[in-house]
Every structure is written in structure tokens, then in C-alpha cells.
Amino acid sequence: MPTDSATEGIQPTRFKPTEQTSRLRFRLPTWWQWVLIVIGIVVVVIAWFLLTANAVSFTTNAEDSTIEISGGLVIPSGPRYLIRPGDIQVRASAKGYEPLRTSVLVESQSDQTIEIELTPLPGKVTITGSPAGAQINRSDENLGNAPMTIDVPAGEIRLAVQADRHQPGEITAEIIGREVEQTLSYQLRPNWADVTIPTTPPGANVSIDDVETEFVTPGPFPVMAGERKISIKSPGYERWTDILYVEPEQEIVLPDVLLTLIGGTLYLKSTPTSASVNINGEFVGTTPLDIDLRPNRNHRVETSLFGYHTSIRNVNLSTGESRRLDLQLKEVTGKLAVTTQPEDAEIWVDGELAGISNTTLTLHAKDHDIELRKDGYAGYSTQITVQTEFQQEIKVRLLTNEEARLAALEQARETSEGQAMVLLKPKQIRMGASRRQPGRRANEVFRSVELERMFYVSKDEITNAQFRRFASGHDSGEFESTTLNKDEQPVVNVSWHEAAQYCNWLSTKEGFEPFYVLRPGDPPKYNPNSLGYRLPSEAEWAWVARTTSTTDELLLFPWGDSLPPPNYHGNYADQAAQHIIGRTIFNYNDNHTVAAPVGTFDPNYHGLNDIGGNVAEWVHNFYVVPSVNETIENLGPETGEYHVIRGASWMHGTITDLRLSFRDYGADGRRDVGFRIARFAE
């Protein structure tokens, strides 16, 4: 229990709630604190820059150059710069150099040196020398004529210097550039010699290379280097002439020349000009000319020109006399008789109408161009030299325009490969055979073709040798161990497409537009307007094989109308081949087992060899079975799967195969099928 005294000591007080702690307040730094922060940041940045930057120095090829750097923080440090790695922009300049602005890569290594190459400005070069006005060339460029001042790039320069009457020179110098002024000099050496010619009398006029000069003897006078013709002439004296070989920069003194007194000068002119002149038998030149003659003596002057009478004059001149002689030369004439058939043709001589045939012309005795003209006829021209001793004749039968056209076509009778070509002018042909004809097949119906265009066809079938000049690797093979591949045998085992390719090859070789359009993967097409080589059409083949005269009768077989053929008429399946071929012609022999050399047997009516025998032949046309009595086109249809094969071969011996109306077809090569070529004449 507490004592009363203790109780009395406790005094009540007024209740006061506990005060809350006040919140933390944010205060901005004072100004001096901000200064300390900024200084700290700067120190950190500088320390970072110093730790990461590299010392870089710049050098140039120019003295007193100025370097300006941009593109980043750069701190100069004496001759160096502190720069962080990366690309910077450098601008360099110096007096006498082109300003340079470039990008430079600063690498991550210390103590780098970057070299900057400044381009010097051109130098101011003055070119002068003797003689003035010389032409200055650099390479093939004409810079002008000295004296001159030009801008020249720094470096070595080589200049060529040329001037009339001087030897060529050269200037070689090192150009400083940087707009520095330099003077280059030249001194060309003379390209002449000083020539002295003492003459008696003195004061004679001098000509050099037949060109009169203002120089007079004795000189000295300059003469250009080389071989020169020097002539001295004084009135009343003969001309003195000599040939000098002159070397430059020499002094040439000739012995004293005593000029010979002459009678005078003869000035000689003729009509026509360019006549030869001989004096006393010595040729002295052609008219017009002037010549000095000795005085007081006779001189025989002969003036002659081909086709003109020679003029002979005697001339005697006194001292100092000048005489002019004008000669009208007379033509030498001859007779030319011109006879033509038909008559009344115009005669043109050297482009001018001279008369009407038949007549005799009197013409100048020289070369003449003669032309004969008559309406409806081809012209005739020739060149003839008219003679005086006898009368010449021209006898000409003028060709009609049609005859001339045919004559021109007749000249194209051989290919560039040496194959003989036959020119033919066909007419309409009725192809096919009667149904009653023995051996006749269903595809041989009668049909007509109008052959309107003249054409050439090869006399012979194409040989292995000829085809191998187009396809060097071709081999025609063999049959039953007997070769088909000799050079002179007809080529076989060629497809229709290969035969057409050969035609195009030959056309291109001779400059013709190819007849066939052959593209891989496309069916063959043709250009009917082309004059290039092709295969004969089926109608052309039938016409050359079956016609013999102007009559309408057509051959049944190559030899006539009945079997068997005469021995050795052509190459068919004969006794020589009966051991390898089943069907042969009874009791017939041609002495060839397989294909014979082309041209072995006599040609047919049109001059073609082996037509209807030896090997069967590809023709141009696509194979179709025509309608009876149809009129068809010469070149046949434009599309098809197969092509026609015409004619018998060394394998054929039946009445069906031997007939000239027999038609076969195919696309691929065969050991008894070859081809011959043709083309339209116009």
C-alpha cells in the first residue's frame, strides 16, 4: 500500500495526444551544388573521351597546308588530334593545290598517321623559241602556235615542235604545277642548205623542182633538204638543169656554170593536148611546152598523138628569138561496117547516135564504145579499136528481150559445188496412169498441173562426196556387205528433212534466200518466192522423166513402153543383184549390184542422168492421194506427215516399181532413196 505521502505527490495533468512525426520534404540543390554536379559530369566525359580517343596526326604532300576536321569531337593536342574511332570529314587546303574534302576512317589504335595527297594545280607554262609561230603538239593534240602560255598539269611533259622549213624538234620538261610560272624554249634547226651557183653571165633566174623562185645566181639561196631539181635560166641562154642531194645546215658551192647562148624559145601547143614532142629524134615532153633551141640551125620537131597524124615541122631560130607554134592535129580515120539482124538498129558511138545499121561508118582510129539499140530487142555493146589499114566489121543478130532473158538464164548452169544444172521450160502435164495399166496403184489417179515457171534441175543425183561437204560425218552404209558409201555413188540413208537442209545450205552459200523454213519442233514450211535451191516438185520430176518431145505422149518406163529394158539402159534390180534381191528383171543386166556411180548410163531426153533408176528420189511435195482429174498446184499442199518419193531404184524390178507414174512416200532415210536438187530460174 502506498503511503499517504506518496499519494500526495501524484498530480493530475491535462491529456495531450501524441504528436505525429512530420513528413520528409524534397529540397532542390543549391547553386553551388549544381556547380559541383556539372563539374563532375564534365570530368567524367573528359575522362571517358581521353580513355577512348586515339592520337591522330595528319600529313600532306604540300607545305603550309591547312587541315579542318568535322564529324565528331576533336581535341587538338600539339601536332596531333585526339579523335574517337569512326568516320570523320577532313578538309585540306594549301596554296597551289586543289582543295580536298574527303572522308577518313579513324581506327581503334593509338598514334595513327593519316596521309592526305593534294593535287597540284596546273602550272602556267610559256612556250617560246625560234622560229616564232612553230606548231606545238602534245601526242596527237595541237596546242597552238608559239609563243603561247598554257595551263599544264604537274609532271613530265613531252612536246613536239614543227615549223615550215625547219627540222622537227622536241621539248621535254618537268612541270612543277601549283600555278608556278615556267618558261620552255625551243630552237629548231634549219632544214635547208645554202647553195651558191656561180654563173656566167650572173643574175640568172633559179627554179627549184620546176617552181620559179625570186632567187638569182650566184646566191647563196636556201634549198630545202632532199633530192632537188635545180634549173638556171637567163634570157637568150639555154636552161641549165642539175639534180642536187641537199643535206640540211650545209653550205654547197657548185663549180662555175657557163650558160650556153641559145637561138630562142619555142612555145609549142597542140589541139588536142598531151601530144608527145620529139626534137631531133629526142623526146622532150608533151604539149603544151616551151623549150630552148640552139641558134641558127634546123631542128626537126615531131608532134604525135595516138589516133592522129604526126605533125613534122622544121624550126630555125635566131639568137633571142621567141616563136609560138600552134598545131591542129588531124584525126586518123578508119572504116567500120555495122550489119545487124534485124535491120534499122541505132548505132551509138561513144554515147552519141552515129547512124542506122546496115551501114559503114568513118570513125577516128582509136578505141570506141559501140552500142546497138532497137525497140523490142536487147541491147548489144562492145569496144573496138578502129584501124586504118583495113575495114573492120561488126555483124550482130540482136536478141529479142525474151531471147536475151533466156540467154542470161542459160549462163547459170553450174552450182558453186560444181553440180551441172539443166534449165527447163516446162508446160502442163497430166500425171497418173489409167486404171487398166498393169501395175497401176490406187494413188496414181489422173490429175493435172500447170507448170508456169522455168526451173533448173541438177543433171545428176547428189553424191556422197557432195553431201559430205555439207555433213562431213555422213555414212550411206552398205547392203549385204556391198558399200553404198563411195564418193561417186548417190547419197542414200538421208531423210527428207536432211535433203531440205542441204538445199538451204547450198542456197546460203550462194547468196540465195533459203527456200525451206526449218525450225526445230515445227513442221517444214517453204517460201514459194525464193530462188534458192529445193527438191524438184513431183510434177517437175514427172515432166522431166516422162516427156520426150512436143507431143502429148508420156513415157511409161524410162526406156519406153514395154519390158524388159535394153541391157545397160539404167540401174535396176538385174541379174547382178539376184543373189541379194528377191525380185529382179528377167534376163536384164546392168553390171551393178547396188547403186552405180552417178552418170554411168546415158542421159534421158532432157539431159538428166539416172532419172527413174539407180536410186529413188525425194521430191518436194507432201504426200496426199489426190482426187481423180483434179487440177493441183505445182508445189502441192503446205502440210502433211510424209513426202513423196519418185522413181525406181537398184532394188526395184517389178512392173509396178519400174513405171514412171509409180509413187512412194516416207519421211526417214532409206538405203535406196537419194535426191537431186532444183530451183526456180526467175
Side-chain angles (χ1 to χ4, degrees):
M1 290 292 291
T3 64
D4 293 337
S5 59
T7 305
E8 291 177 358
I10 299 171
Q11 297 295 322
T13 61
R14 185 176 293 224
F15 173 79
K16 292 183 180 181
T18 303
E19 293 182 357
Q20 292 182 351
T21 303
S22 62
R23 293 181 179 178
L24 180 65
R25 294 181 179 179
F26 177 78
R27 296 181 180 178
L28 294 173
T30 63
W31 67 268
W32 58 267
Q33 289 176 323
W34 278 113
V35 171
L36 290 176
I37 291 171
V38 170
I39 292 173
I41 292 172
V42 170
V43 170
V44 170
V45 170
I46 291 174
W48 169 79
F49 178 79
L50 292 176
L51 289 174
T52 59
N54 298 317
V56 180
S57 60
F58 294 88
T59 63
T60 69
N61 60 324
E63 298 180 0
D64 300 327
S65 59
T66 300
I67 302 293
E68 297 177 9
I69 302 171
S70 61
L73 183 59
V74 178
I75 299 178
S77 177
R80 301 183 179 182
Y81 299 86
L82 292 177
I83 307 173
R84 294 197 68 253
D87 288 329
I88 62 171
Q89 296 295 318
V90 178
R91 181 181 179 87
S93 60
K95 183 179 180 180
Y97 292 85
E98 295 280 355
L100 175 66
R101 184 181 183 91
T102 184
S103 178
V104 175
L105 175 64
V106 176
E107 299 178 347
S108 299
Q109 63 184 48
S110 60
D111 296 331
Q112 300 177 50
T113 299
I114 296 175
E115 296 181 356
I116 297 177
E117 184 75 20
L118 294 177
T119 302
L121 291 170
K124 299 291 184 180
V125 178
T126 299
I127 303 172
T128 185
S130 177
Q135 180 177 303
I136 310 299
N137 297 302
R138 178 171 57 191
S139 298
D140 294 330
E141 180 185 5
N142 180 8
L143 301 180
N145 298 90
M148 62 190 303
T149 300
I150 56 176
D151 292 335
V152 180
E156 186 180 73
I157 187 173
R158 189 184 301 271
L159 302 175
V161 185
Q162 295 178 325
D164 290 341
R165 301 175 61 81
H166 289 77
Q167 301 177 53
E170 187 176 82
I171 301 174
T172 302
E174 188 70 28
I175 304 303
I176 299 171
R178 310 199 305 273
E179 297 185 319
V180 174
E181 295 183 357
Q182 290 176 261
T183 299
L184 305 181
S185 299
Y186 62 87
Q187 183 68 43
L188 298 184
R189 299 173 62 185
N191 195 35
W192 69 82
D194 288 326
V195 177
T196 300
I197 306 178
T199 61
T200 303
N205 296 320
V206 178
S207 295
I208 301 175
D209 293 336
D210 294 327
V211 177
E212 293 185 0
T213 71
E214 72 278 10
F215 307 131
V216 294
T217 60
F221 47 86
V223 179
M224 298 301 295
E227 189 175 270
R228 303 297 173 191
K229 178 182 177 182
I230 309 296
S231 298
I232 305 298
K233 181 70 172 69
S234 185
Y237 292 86
E238 289 186 1
R239 186 184 301 274
W240 176 90
T241 301
D242 198 1
I243 301 296
L244 292 183
Y245 184 79
V246 178
E247 294 184 3
E249 302 182 87
Q250 289 187 341
E251 291 186 2
I252 301 174
V253 180
L254 298 185
D256 188 40
V257 175
L258 179 62
L259 298 179
T260 302
L261 192 66
I262 62 172
T265 302
L266 176 65
Y267 297 93
L268 185 59
K269 179 182 177 182
S270 70
T271 304
T273 60
S274 301
S276 298
V277 179
N278 288 268
I279 296 181
N280 301 325
E282 181 181 355
F283 174 74
V284 294
T286 59
T287 58
L289 89 134
D290 63 277
I291 188 166
D292 299 326
L293 300 178
R294 289 184 179 274
N296 305 316
R297 70 170 60 178
N298 289 325
H299 298 278
R300 180 183 173 89
V301 180
E302 297 183 19
T303 308
S304 59
L305 182 65
F306 177 73
Y308 294 84
H309 290 286
T310 300
S311 171
I312 301 176
R313 300 289 183 90
N314 289 317
V315 177
N316 190 325
L317 300 177
S318 59
T319 301
E321 180 184 358
S322 295
R323 184 181 302 178
R324 179 177 298 276
L325 190 58
D326 291 331
L327 301 176
Q328 186 72 41
L329 301 181
K330 295 182 178 180
E331 291 184 354
V332 177
T333 60
K335 300 292 185 180
L336 176 65
V338 181
T339 304
T340 64
Q341 182 185 0
E343 300 178 353
D344 301 330
E346 294 179 346
I347 307 171
W348 292 74
V349 179
D350 299 330
E352 295 184 359
L353 181 62
I356 302 296
S357 66
N358 298 333
T359 189
T360 299
L361 303 176
T362 300
L363 299 177
H364 188 184
K366 64 172 187 176
D367 294 338
H368 293 284
D369 293 321
I370 308 298
E371 186 178 0
L372 304 176
R373 304 177 188 175
K374 186 174 177 64
D375 289 342
Y377 291 82
Y380 171 85
S381 61
T382 187
Q383 187 178 77
I384 191 169
T385 302
V386 174
Q387 306 290 332
T388 59
E389 296 82 5
F390 56 88
Q391 177 174 299
Q392 293 166 277
E393 291 184 339
I394 294 179
K395 292 184 177 181
V396 176
R397 187 182 77 83
L398 296 178
L399 301 178
T400 64
N401 291 331
E402 178 67 14
E403 290 173 330
R405 183 177 67 87
L406 295 177
L409 293 175
E410 284 287 349
Q411 296 176 8
R413 300 298 292 272
E414 190 173 278
T415 71
S416 59
E417 289 293 305
Q419 295 129 328
M421 304 292 288
V422 179
L423 177 64
L424 297 169
K425 187 176 182 181
K427 297 181 179 179
Q428 186 186 56
I429 183 171
R430 188 187 189 206
M431 296 191 293
S434 168
R435 296 178 61 182
R436 295 187 298 273
Q437 187 179 99
R440 187 256 196 193
R441 299 176 66 185
N443 64 0
E444 299 174 27
V445 299
F446 283 127
R447 68 264 189 213
S448 298
V449 180
E450 187 69 39
L451 298 174
E452 298 176 343
R453 297 175 67 178
M454 296 177 63
F455 68 98
Y456 296 99
V457 64
S458 60
K459 183 176 182 179
D460 294 301
E461 295 158 334
I462 302 302
T463 66
N464 284 310
Q466 291 166 347
F467 192 80
R468 276 194 282 264
R469 285 196 284 273
F470 157 68
S472 59
H474 178 76
D475 187 345
S476 287
E478 61 180 27
F479 180 72
E480 299 294 338
S481 300
T482 303
T483 184
L484 302 170
N485 202 43
K486 292 181 180 180
D487 282 351
E488 65 275 12
Q489 287 177 298
V491 65
V492 294
N493 280 322
V494 291
S495 66
W496 183 95
H497 199 274
E498 289 171 321
Q501 286 179 316
Y502 177 88
C503 293
N504 278 1
W505 169 77
L506 188 57
S507 296
T508 301
K509 188 172 184 287
E510 296 188 14
F512 292 114
E513 180 183 2
F515 187 83
Y516 293 107
V517 180
L518 305 173
R519 295 189 178 95
D522 293 341
K525 298 180 181 179
Y526 60 89
N527 178 7
N529 297 318
S530 168
L531 297 182
Y533 291 96
R534 56 179 174 80
L535 300 172
S537 71
E538 184 179 10
E540 290 168 346
W541 191 97
W543 190 86
V544 299
R546 301 192 67 184
T547 61
T548 58
S549 64
T550 57
T551 64
D552 294 333
E553 295 296 326
L554 301 178
L555 288 174
L556 177 60
F557 301 106
W559 58 86
D561 294 333
S562 61
L563 285 168
N567 274 344
Y568 311 115
H569 176 274
N571 188 12
Y572 315 106
D574 68 332
Q575 292 178 351
Q578 62 185 357
H579 62 290
I580 59 174
I581 299 175
R583 301 288 298 273
T584 61
I585 304 174
F586 177 73
N587 203 29
Y588 175 73
N589 186 25
D590 57 43
N591 288 340
H592 291 278
T593 306
V594 293
V598 300
T600 297
F601 304 97
D602 292 339
N604 78 343
Y605 175 80
H606 295 289
L608 273 59
N609 294 321
D610 303 316
I611 194 79
N614 208 20
V615 294
E617 298 177 11
W618 288 114
V619 295
H620 164 80
N621 301 61
F622 282 106
Y623 176 78
V624 294
V625 177
S627 301
V628 178
N629 293 325
E630 181 183 4
T631 298
I632 61 177
E633 295 292 332
N634 178 30
L635 297 178
E638 296 184 358
T639 59
E641 183 177 359
Y642 301 104
H643 283 86
V644 178
I645 300 172
R646 293 300 299 260
S649 74
W650 54 271
M651 298 186 72
H652 293 147
T654 69
I655 189 172
T656 294
D657 305 328
L658 294 174
R659 293 172 308 108
L660 290 175
S661 61
F662 170 66
R663 302 178 76 218
D664 202 351
Y665 60 92
D668 299 325
R670 214 169 72 186
R671 60 197 170 195
D672 71 325
V673 176
F675 68 98
R676 71 179 70 227
I677 58 175
R679 73 176 182 88
F680 287 122
E682 56 186 4

